[in-house]
Amino acid sequence: DTGVSQNPRHKITKRGQNVTFRCDPISEHNRLYWYRQTLGQGPEFLTYFQNEAQLEKSRLLSDRFSAERPKGSFSTLEIQRTEQGDSAMYLCASSLEDRGGKLFFGSGTQLSVL
Amino acid sequence: KNQVEQSPQSLIILEGKNCTLQCNYTVSPFSNLRWYKQDTGRGPVSLTIMTFSENTKSNGRYTATLDADTKQSSLHITASQLSDSASYICVVSAPGSARQLTFGSGTQLTVLP
């Protein structure tokens, strides 16, 4: 396991459809984060898991968004009834609790809502 | 409100030249500051971490400085290479919850041959 893996890399969907993204963190990392990034901006925090527990959620995470990490390993981010404003890069990151906050990012899933 | 401001927004330099990127922050309390490099279409990769007591840290051709009194950091790139073309993001961490990572908008660096 050489890094954080995200699938798919790209997703094109029509407005109103549901989409699901997957993130496989570095295996020994207990913390997992989801971020959203639009062009020319830094990542915006969405949610955070420690093991299987979802400990924090941003108010950006509307009721159309849900994230899970059922066994404390991989995580999924689902967006229901997608809107054009959801178009962005969705980044997953993982970290070890005692590493001073160093995040290891995946390559992201680029979502385009038509 | 915690904020991280980066300048310039974009920068174009010729290969072999040096450049300096700036980061000003208002995050308090402060835990550490990281510089990340993000290639187009990829996730950010950590370059350096600076804690409160550190003034300078180098990683190859990258040198980061931190002035915790004025809440300013810089990233100096020496002898730039084409592969340095990327967005450089400053991230400031406050102690406590995971959401307490404040990201700057990044400086888009383009190195031309």
Side-chain angles (χ1 to χ4, degrees):
Chain A
D1 187 350
T2 57
V4 178
S5 176
Q6 290 190 247
N7 288 287
R9 287 295 311 278
H10 305 276
K11 179 70 177 178
I12 300 174
T13 190
K14 292 183 179 178
R15 190 176 52 188
Q17 297 294 306
N18 300 340
V19 294
T20 300
F21 311 139
R22 177 178 169 123
C23 171
D24 288 89
I26 294 173
S27 57
E28 63 267 28
H29 286 184
N30 60 340
R31 291 185 167 189
L32 186 147
Y33 310 76
W34 285 99
Y35 288 87
R36 181 171 68 186
Q37 186 178 27
T38 53
L39 197 63
Q41 299 296 314
E44 296 175 290
F45 172 81
L46 292 178
T47 190
Y48 152 65
F49 291 84
Q50 184 160 315
N51 300 312
E52 67 275 11
Q54 187 174 20
L55 298 185
E56 294 194 49
K57 291 197 301 184
S58 163
R59 62 178 180 276
L60 292 174
L61 214 65
S62 74
D63 56 4
R64 297 186 298 106
F65 288 70
S66 62
E68 295 182 344
R69 193 183 184 195
K71 298 182 180 179
S73 57
F74 74 92
S75 175
T76 58
L77 178 69
E78 181 183 15
I79 308 174
Q80 296 181 327
R81 305 181 303 281
T82 52
E83 302 172 356
Q84 287 185 321
D86 296 331
S87 296
M89 171 79 85
Y90 289 84
L91 290 165
C92 175
S94 68
S95 73
L96 278 173
E97 191 167 345
D98 59 350
R99 287 295 180 91
K102 180 176 180 179
L103 301 182
F104 293 79
F105 284 87
S107 294
T109 294
Q110 182 65 53
L111 173 66
S112 298
V113 182
L114 304 179
Chain B
K1 179 182 176 183
N2 289 338
Q3 287 187 313
V4 174
E5 299 288 341
Q6 291 189 243
S7 62
Q9 198 170 23
S10 61
L11 182 62
I12 301 174
I13 60 174
L14 294 176
E15 187 179 12
K17 298 296 185 183
N18 304 336
C19 66
T20 301
L21 315 179
Q22 300 290 341
C23 172
N24 297 339
Y25 62 93
T26 61
V27 177
S28 183
F30 169 87
S31 179
N32 60 61
L33 183 149
R34 286 189 183 275
W35 284 93
Y36 283 84
K37 178 187 179 188
Q38 185 174 23
D39 293 316
T40 302
R42 313 290 293 186
V45 175
S46 178
L47 291 175
T48 66
I49 177 173
M50 306 285 289
T51 58
F52 186 87
S53 59
E54 295 175 306
N55 299 119
T56 303
K57 183 170 283 188
S58 292
N59 177 6
R61 294 179 298 103
Y62 300 103
T63 299
T65 65
L66 174 66
D67 185 333
D69 292 330
T70 61
K71 295 184 169 55
Q72 295 180 326
S73 176
S74 67
L75 180 70
H76 186 75
I77 303 175
T78 304
S80 60
Q81 300 175 358
L82 298 179
S83 59
D84 293 332
S85 295
S87 178
Y88 291 83
I89 302 174
C90 176
V91 184
V92 182
S93 173
S97 70
R99 77 168 66 218
Q100 295 305 323
L101 288 174
T102 306
F103 287 75
S105 297
T107 292
Q108 182 64 49
L109 175 66
T110 302
V111 181
L112 299 178

